[in-house]
Amino acid sequence: MTSVQLVVVGAGPGGYAAAFLAADLGLSVALVDPEVNPGGVCVYRGCIPSKALLHVAELLDESRHAKAWGVDFGEPKIDVAKLRAFKDSVVKKNTSGTGVLVKARKIHYLQWWAEIVDAHNLKVKLTAGGEEQV
């Protein structure tokens, strides 16, 4: 990896926004996170997956209310595997977009776990295994 001027640990909305700004200002930036693309807990496991599932729950509720309006869809059947695949596709669409933005800004994205040791050092664990201090 070429020399970087700034390392951002954590690629959630705060981390990737900081990395984007630094890159836009001309700094050479490395962004470190264990996920495949930036996004953070909100996009991978929190807000976005929840909203995708809430959308489906709202649809189910709406279909039940439709009976009173003269529209009967019958009792819904939930295919958990397809529902999970839908939720995963929503997450993938969101995170692949941030991945494209990282590449466009020439940010070094490192799929690692990072621990700040002190003001000048990080201990990193590669997601594929292994550990080093940088």
Side-chain angles (χ1 to χ4, degrees):
M1 177 175 62
T2 60
S3 162
V4 296
Q5 296 167 303
L6 177 68
V7 177
V8 178
V9 177
Y16 71 72
F20 290 178
L21 177 60
D24 291 347
L25 293 172
L27 294 174
S28 176
V29 180
L31 181 56
V32 181
D33 195 87
E35 296 293 350
V36 174
N37 283 305
V41 171
C42 177
V43 177
Y44 277 97
R45 289 173 292 287
C47 311
I48 301 304
S50 296
K51 287 181 181 184
L53 296 174
L54 284 170
H55 173 73
V56 173
E58 184 179 328
L59 180 65
L60 290 171
D61 185 57
E62 190 78 13
S63 72
R64 288 187 178 118
H65 283 86
K67 288 179 188 177
W69 309 325
V71 179
D72 188 354
F73 295 102
E75 195 57 34
K77 296 175 185 159
I78 300 171
D79 182 331
V80 175
K82 282 185 180 178
L83 182 57
R84 186 174 293 121
F86 164 70
K87 183 254 316 167
D88 291 344
S89 74
V90 170
V91 169
K92 186 174 182 176
K93 284 177 192 171
N94 276 272
T95 60
S96 64
T98 55
V100 168
L101 293 172
V102 163
K103 289 177 185 162
R105 287 179 164 87
K106 296 181 174 58
I107 294 171
H108 304 281
Y109 188 78
L110 308 170
Q111 192 177 354
W112 297 346
W113 290 95
E115 176 185 337
I116 298 171
V117 176
D118 58 38
H120 303 285
N121 295 289
L122 291 175
K123 185 188 333 180
V124 295
K125 292 182 183 178
L126 287 71
T127 52
E131 186 175 297
E132 61 185 81
Q133 192 149 335
V134 291

